[in-house]
Every structure is written in C-alpha cells, then in structure tokens.
Amino acid sequence: SSQLGPRVLALIAPTPAVPPGAVPPLAPPPQARAERAAGAGPRTAAMPKGLEMPEIDERATSCLYSKTDLIKAITDYLNDALPKAGLVEDHFWTNIRILLCLICTGFGCYAQFVTKFPHDNELMWLCVLGYFAFTAIITVLEYLYIQSSVMCIKVGEETVFIDINMPNFSEMMTLSLRTSRKTVSHEVSVGHYFDSDGVLCQENLFKDFVSLLNQYEKKGSGGKEGKKDK
C-alpha cells in the first residue's frame, strides 16, 4: 500500500458508517466530481482568459549567467508562439530598418568596388557622407522607436512593441508592451522563466504575457483616459 497514490488509497478505503441520526456528509458538486474523476489537482496559477498556449518545441539556454542567451531564448519563443496563438506580427519598423541598412551597405559597396582613388575622390566622399548619414538615421530610429523591442504585434489597430529589459548584474527582467500612447510592464526574476537546467518554462512566460496583454487592453482606450496614460 505504500506504493499506492493518495487518490487510489482514498478510493479503496472503506466508507465510515454514519451513526444513527447523524447528517451524512454532503456530496461534492458535479464540477468538482468531474475534476476529481479526471485526476485534476488544485487550481494554481490558472491561465488568464484570452489566448490559448500553442505547442512549441522546448527552448533552452546554454548559460544561465548570460544576459544575451536568456533574452534570445525568450525572443525565439515569443516569435514562434505568438503568431501560432493568433496574434498578428507587424514587420513595418523591421522592414524600415532593413531598408536603411541596405542603403548603407550600398554606399559602402559602391565606394569600395566602383570608385577609383584618387580619380573619384569627390564621389567617394559622397558615399562616406551618405553612409554615416543613414547610419545616424538608423540610430535615431532605434533610440526613439525600436529601443529594446524583440517583436511588434498588432493589438486592434495599434502597433505594439514587446520590450525585454534586463540590467547587467541583475536577476530581474522586465517585460513591457509599449506604444507612443501607453506602456504596461511586468518585472520578475529570470528564475521564474528558466529552471536549473536552463530550460525555458513556457507556461510561466506565456501566462505572464497574456496577463500583460489583458492589462494593456484595459489601460485606457483612447480619448481622455488615453492622454492620462501617456
């Protein structure tokens, strides 16, 4: 009997007799009986209402002390899971950045392989100026808009940036949903998302993201309330 589980022992244990005149114990409600029959345990850390968690291959990091590896594992999971969960990914700002990088590369390649020094000295200077000008535009774009975002999604008609911030020499990680109008954040220890073997706990991450998304949708829906959140 020591090898039997508590549920099996409860099923095979004899039912105590009810003394005469005593009130028999009330039977559990139908829902509780169904959950007990299905083997469901106590409800802890229930998934917020909204998106359903998709099945994604296991994600892991090779070094729990590497900020880059931790963020990369979370980023890879979000990029795979959120589209499968039904969210639409917005590539607008990513495409703009890629276009600007291609222009910079074009200036560099033209100056390297087409122009001849010293005959095309002025043209080479124009390529150098163009390269640094578009590099400055990319820097401004990342500073003002992209920042620390790992992904962009559509929430209604808005483009929402998903930010992940983790200070150096700290175990705390901040997940944020950000637009120019409002921002919601959730700070948690990175140990909440990774076990001791470096495997990503997908349930915890997805649960926190859904909670953050629900919080974002409830926080101001435009007009005066939206101005306050700004």
Side-chain angles (χ1 to χ4, degrees):
S1 61
S2 61
Q3 297 180 354
L4 298 178
R7 293 194 182 94
V8 178
L9 292 176
L11 291 175
I12 65 177
T15 304
V18 180
V23 179
L26 295 177
Q31 182 179 2
R33 291 199 302 269
E35 291 178 355
R36 187 174 299 174
R43 294 183 176 180
T44 59
M47 185 71 67
K49 294 182 179 180
L51 303 177
E52 293 185 1
M53 179 178 171
E55 294 184 3
I56 303 295
D57 294 337
E58 183 180 275
R59 294 290 188 273
T61 177
S62 58
C63 181
L64 287 171
Y65 300 98
S66 173
K67 168 185 173 181
T68 302
D69 289 351
L70 294 172
I71 294 179
K72 182 180 183 301
I74 294 178
T75 301
D76 290 343
Y77 172 77
L78 293 177
N79 277 274
D80 289 342
L82 298 188
K84 290 186 178 180
L87 292 174
V88 178
E89 187 174 0
D90 189 352
H91 299 281
F92 175 77
W93 291 107
T94 303
N95 292 337
I96 292 295
R97 188 181 185 279
I98 292 175
L99 177 61
L100 294 175
C101 290
L102 287 176
I103 295 175
C104 288
T105 304
F107 278 119
C109 291
Y110 189 87
Q112 177 68 28
F113 299 108
V114 178
T115 60
K116 302 297 182 181
F117 183 81
H119 303 289
D120 300 325
N121 193 25
E122 294 181 357
L123 191 56
M124 291 181 65
W125 274 109
L126 289 177
C127 290
V128 171
L129 292 176
Y131 177 86
F132 282 104
F134 278 91
T135 301
I137 294 174
I138 295 174
T139 303
V140 173
L141 177 68
E142 292 186 344
Y143 180 78
L144 295 179
Y145 296 99
I146 299 178
Q147 299 181 19
S148 58
S149 69
V150 298
M151 187 179 181
C152 293
I153 59 174
K154 281 288 188 180
V155 178
E157 298 297 327
E158 290 185 314
T159 297
V160 181
F161 292 93
I162 302 176
D163 293 343
I164 299 179
N165 290 295
M166 187 175 179
N168 294 326
F169 313 110
S170 174
E171 65 168 325
M172 304 306 295
M173 175 178 289
T174 303
L175 302 178
S176 303
L177 296 181
R178 168 180 55 85
T179 62
S180 60
R181 189 169 60 89
K182 58 184 177 180
T183 300
V184 294
S185 302
H186 174 67
E187 187 178 31
V188 66
S189 170
V190 73
H192 184 62
Y193 297 144
F194 293 90
D195 62 16
S196 58
D197 295 325
V199 178
L200 178 66
C201 301
Q202 300 182 10
E203 296 82 2
N204 293 344
L205 177 58
F206 194 81
K207 171 182 173 294
D208 286 350
F209 174 80
V210 174
S211 298
L212 199 62
L213 183 61
N214 293 338
Q215 181 183 350
Y216 176 87
E217 292 175 340
K218 293 177 182 178
K219 182 181 178 182
S221 57
K224 295 181 179 179
E225 188 175 358
K227 294 180 180 179
K228 290 180 180 178
D229 295 330
K230 182 178 179 182

